[in-house]
């Protein structure tokens, strides 16, 4: 798959994941219609494509010391940053932030 194809697949998957998170996690609230899900998916995709490699590079020593577990912190930070950038997204507790970021990270790592 080419870069553009993977980007489009990640965009669609992130939109679906945001919808699923709003349906199954009561602490994850994304208010609005399909446009808000599209904007959220676009933001999350861009953060994962451009910001995550920079954070991974900066945190490489911590990732090595924790045998890769620090990647969870990076994914949580990306979702938290998306929460702060989107005014229509509200994540009420740390547990919801953790589990939704784990689900998003697993699906994004597959594609």
């Amino acid at each position: 798959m080419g870069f553009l194809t993977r980007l489009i697949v990640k965009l669609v998957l992130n939109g679906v994941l945001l919808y699923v998170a709003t349906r199954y996690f009561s602490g994850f609230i994304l208010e609005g219609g399909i446009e808000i899900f599209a904007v959220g998916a676009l933001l999350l995709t861009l953060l994962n494509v451009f910001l995550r490699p920079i954070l991974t590079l900066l945190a490489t020593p911590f990732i090595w010391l924790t045998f890769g577990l620090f990647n969870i912190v990076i994914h949580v930070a990306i979702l938290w940053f998306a929460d702060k950038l989107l005014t229509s997204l509200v994540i009420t507790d740390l547990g919801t932030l953790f589990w939704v970021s784990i689900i998003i990270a697993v699906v994004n790592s597959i594609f």
Side-chain angles (χ1 to χ4, degrees):
M1 268 198 284
F3 176 75
L4 189 59
T5 307
R6 281 191 322 217
L7 191 66
I8 292 170
V9 168
K10 283 187 179 196
L11 183 67
V12 171
L13 279 176
N14 282 330
V16 170
L17 287 172
L18 288 175
Y19 177 73
V20 168
T22 57
R23 299 285 292 166
Y24 292 107
F25 290 93
S26 60
F28 192 89
I29 303 162
L30 186 60
E31 296 174 346
I34 191 85
E35 312 84 37
I36 300 300
F37 284 103
V39 169
L42 180 65
L43 177 67
L44 199 56
T45 302
L46 291 176
L47 288 175
N48 276 321
V49 168
F50 295 113
L51 185 63
R52 188 174 55 125
I54 295 169
L55 291 176
T56 303
L57 181 66
L58 293 174
T60 298
F62 296 112
I63 293 170
W64 287 347
L65 286 173
T66 61
F67 299 109
L69 290 176
F70 198 77
N71 282 321
I72 295 170
V73 175
I74 292 172
H75 289 291
V76 167
I78 288 173
L79 188 59
W80 177 80
F81 193 59
D83 177 30
K84 295 303 171 193
L85 288 176
L86 284 175
T87 57
S88 59
L89 176 62
V90 176
I91 301 174
T92 58
D93 58 348
L94 190 60
T96 302
L97 178 66
F98 176 77
W99 286 112
V100 171
S101 66
I102 293 293
I103 293 168
I104 291 173
V106 167
V107 172
N108 277 324
S109 68
I110 292 172
F111 293 100

